[in-house]
């Protein structure tokens, strides 16, 4: 196992409502020194969750929402922040109800993904939700989200869809598809 670099200094060099930019001065085991900058979220510190919610054996729920980063309406998986005192699975069920209008009787934590670990500290927990039922909770979205679906057999076509660009969501869908195939619940 490689030895992590020694942190010589940390300093917030820029700040906004959503993010802070932290400069971290490091010394590596070979003596080389570098300053890395990274985005540090202003979230609640409890993390976030992304849900692969299965409508049936082959169709997953997609939601459509306005995304400030791309200035477009995008398709993705339901996701959101984990609230203080809330566990990952409870957060997944709540976010699914708020964003897509479904609850899940079965929830399973699959993995943790990062967006861009070279310069961002944020990670997201991926949850598989099955045995869905209709239930809506009011969320913090400024407008109702569109709800759509994708066939797990057509993920390569989804990757070409101009409204679907989030790599974490695509990775989560492929992971869920492979898991369901391994369990004999889905055939390609």
């Amino acid at each position: 196992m490689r030895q992590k670099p020694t942190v010589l200094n940390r300093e917030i060099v820029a700040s906004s409502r959503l993010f802070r930019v932290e400069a971290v001065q490091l010394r590596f085991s070979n003596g080389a020194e570098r300053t890395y900058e990274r985005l540090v979220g202003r979230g609640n510190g409890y993390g976030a969750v992304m849900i692969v919610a299965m409508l049936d054996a082959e169709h997953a729920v997609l939601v459509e929402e306005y995304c400030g980063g791309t200035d477009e309406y995008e398709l993705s998986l339901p996701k959101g922040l984990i609230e203080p005192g809330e566990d990952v699975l409870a957060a997944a069920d709540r976010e699914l109800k708020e964003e897509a209008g479904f609850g899940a009787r079965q929830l399973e934590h699959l993995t943790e993904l990062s967006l861009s670990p070279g310069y961002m500290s944020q990670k997201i927990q991926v949850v598989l939700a099955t045995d869905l039922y209709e239930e809506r909770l009011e969320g913090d979205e400024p407008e109702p989200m569109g709800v759509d679906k994708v066939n797990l057999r057509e993920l390569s076509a989804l990757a070409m869809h101009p409204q679907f660009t989030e790599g974490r969501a695509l990775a989560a869908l492929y992971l869920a598809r492979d898991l369901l195939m391994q369990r004999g619940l889905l055939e390609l």
Side-chain angles (χ1 to χ4, degrees):
M1 181 119 188
R2 296 181 71 143
Q3 180 182 344
K4 287 174 51 175
T6 302
V7 176
L8 303 174
N9 188 39
R10 291 179 189 266
E11 177 183 4
I12 301 298
V13 295
S15 188
S16 76
R17 183 178 62 83
L18 294 177
F19 299 103
R20 294 173 295 160
V21 178
E22 180 182 52
V24 183
Q25 187 179 0
L26 302 169
R27 179 179 299 124
F28 290 82
S29 60
N30 64 359
E33 291 186 14
R34 297 287 187 280
T35 299
Y36 282 53
E37 290 184 350
R38 66 182 193 152
L39 290 176
V40 181
R42 285 197 179 267
N44 59 20
Y46 297 97
V49 63
M50 173 180 281
I51 307 100
V52 179
M54 298 302 300
L55 291 165
D56 55 39
E58 61 188 63
H59 293 94
V61 172
L62 295 177
V63 292
E64 180 188 47
E65 70 177 318
Y66 176 77
C67 297
T70 59
D71 188 29
E72 299 288 344
Y73 280 89
E74 299 260 353
L75 291 170
S76 190
L77 295 173
K79 61 188 162 303
L81 293 177
I82 299 170
E83 299 296 333
E86 190 175 45
D87 75 12
V88 169
L89 299 181
D93 197 43
R94 177 184 50 76
E95 286 292 342
L96 185 58
K97 290 174 183 176
E98 290 176 1
E99 295 193 356
F102 292 102
R105 291 181 187 90
Q106 299 290 322
L107 295 153
E108 178 182 355
H109 182 258
L110 298 183
T111 194
E112 177 180 82
L113 296 174
S114 62
L115 181 58
S116 185
Y119 69 93
M120 295 178 75
S121 63
Q122 292 84 359
K123 294 182 179 180
I124 199 162
Q125 306 303 316
V126 178
V127 171
L128 177 64
T130 56
D131 196 7
L132 303 184
Y133 58 92
E134 290 187 25
E135 183 176 342
R136 180 163 298 282
L137 291 177
E138 186 174 333
D140 59 359
E141 290 76 21
E143 64 182 353
M145 298 173 88
V147 178
D148 204 344
K149 64 182 178 180
V150 61
N151 188 317
L152 294 185
R153 292 185 178 103
E154 300 170 0
L155 294 182
S156 47
L158 178 65
M160 305 308 279
H161 193 292
Q163 275 188 281
F164 188 88
T165 64
E166 185 173 5
R168 295 178 307 177
L170 187 61
L173 286 164
Y174 272 107
L175 179 68
R177 183 187 77 179
D178 287 355
L179 179 66
L180 294 171
M181 287 173 50
Q182 289 171 6
R183 291 179 178 171
L185 301 172
L186 178 69
E187 292 182 17
L188 284 184

